[in-house]
Amino acid sequence: MANIGYDDTPVLPGIGFKVHGSERPQPPVITPPTPSTQSAPGAPPSDAVVLFDGATVNGWVSCRDGSPAGWKAEEGVLHVVPGTGDIRTLAEFGDCQLHIEFAAPTEVRGESQGRGNSGVFLMGLYEIQVLDCYDNPTYADGTTGAIYGQYPPLVNACRKPGEWQCYDIIWVAPKFDGDTLVSPARVTVMFNGVVLHHDTVLQGPTQHRTLAHYEPQPPIGPLTLQDHGDLVRFRNIWYRPLACYPTP
Ligand code: MG
């Protein structure tokens, strides 16, 4: 192979490779995702772990008792079945890129937190709010895309009820040394292509009407979706584990 880099350059401090060095490992080649449309989900990237296969609820269980998930899979879409409770993945993971699409009920019912409520819980504990906030005021830190009970989204970028919408989330799990919190959870959230949160530091696992605080937790956890009694739909759910490049 032709010499593709430089070997007469200085070594990058704390990294151990030369600037433009030939010896540095190549990034893995993957096939990127294809875009979703209102009528069909796109294809995940080739290195993604698919959490919903479009046909079954295999891989998801009830948060109540670990029994098979009571939600319904139909024609590529995962439907909340109200009253069956929250569901979680059997897969558990930490730092990741998560992609998930949802649609609020087409028939508009209720108001404030009672309209199209669900939730995406990272590690089963940290909620990115799912709600229909199209022409539906609610408390700011409960708006669609809020880090529930802590940080409102930077903007309300909701599409109309019934239309497919998309979260792309970069999640950095909290790190503990024994019982000591070493670094809190951080999250970046894109919603329908715009930034709602950028590297925002969380105060702890999601709480309702009280303050969050950290307690020691495992380094990995499931993805949980909330049954809040509304007919919310999901599709095209996948993640990619992330090993962030170490900063010198
Ligand atoms: Mg919710």
Side-chain angles (χ1 to χ4, degrees):
M1 188 168 70
N3 190 346
I4 55 172
Y6 293 82
D7 294 316
D8 57 353
T9 46
V11 172
L12 289 156
I15 293 177
F17 290 104
K18 292 178 178 177
V19 177
H20 316 313
S22 308
E23 304 298 315
R24 201 160 187 179
Q26 293 286 312
V29 174
I30 67 153
T31 304
T34 59
S36 294
T37 65
Q38 286 298 318
S39 54
S46 60
D47 64 343
V49 179
V50 173
L51 293 172
F52 172 57
D53 65 11
T56 70
V57 290
N58 292 350
W60 295 82
V61 296
S62 165
C63 290
R64 290 176 183 158
D65 57 8
S67 62
W71 295 21
K72 190 172 62 177
E74 219 171 59
E75 297 180 354
V77 175
L78 178 62
H79 300 256
V80 175
V81 176
T84 60
D86 300 352
I87 63 171
R88 63 174 168 83
T89 57
L90 291 170
E92 297 196 343
F93 45 96
D95 300 358
C96 67
Q97 173 188 354
L98 175 73
H99 177 95
I100 183 164
E101 301 174 23
F102 70 92
T106 307
E107 182 188 345
V108 175
R109 291 168 58 177
E111 57 185 12
S112 187
Q113 294 290 303
R115 185 181 298 182
N117 197 333
S118 182
V120 172
F121 283 76
L122 282 307
M123 305 182 85
L125 295 172
Y126 303 86
E127 183 181 19
I128 306 300
Q129 174 69 309
V130 170
L131 195 70
D132 176 8
C133 282
Y134 188 89
D135 196 22
N136 176 35
T138 189
Y139 47 83
D141 65 19
T143 303
T144 312
I147 299 169
Y148 186 80
Q150 298 181 27
Y151 300 101
L154 290 173
V155 293
N156 178 341
C158 284
R159 293 188 176 130
K160 293 178 179 173
E163 295 187 8
W164 284 103
Q165 319 200 63
C166 173
Y167 284 144
D168 286 289
I169 297 171
I170 298 172
W171 174 253
V172 180
K175 307 295 187 301
F176 291 85
D177 181 5
D179 288 347
T180 305
L181 178 68
V182 175
S183 57
R186 305 200 315 271
V187 73
T188 296
V189 178
M190 305 270 294
F191 178 43
N192 296 333
V194 298
V195 174
L196 301 188
H197 305 280
H198 179 221
D199 203 22
T200 300
V201 176
L202 277 70
Q203 299 190 352
T206 298
Q207 299 288 341
H208 180 55
R209 302 183 63 180
T210 189
L211 300 176
H213 67 280
Y214 284 99
E215 288 180 4
Q217 64 171 92
I220 58 174
L223 178 70
T224 293
L225 300 179
Q226 185 182 45
D227 168 16
H228 205 282
D230 294 329
L231 297 170
V232 177
R233 296 170 290 152
F234 293 90
R235 70 177 188 185
N236 202 16
I237 310 171
W238 51 261
Y239 79 97
R240 303 173 59 248
L242 286 184
C244 296
Y245 207 84
T247 308

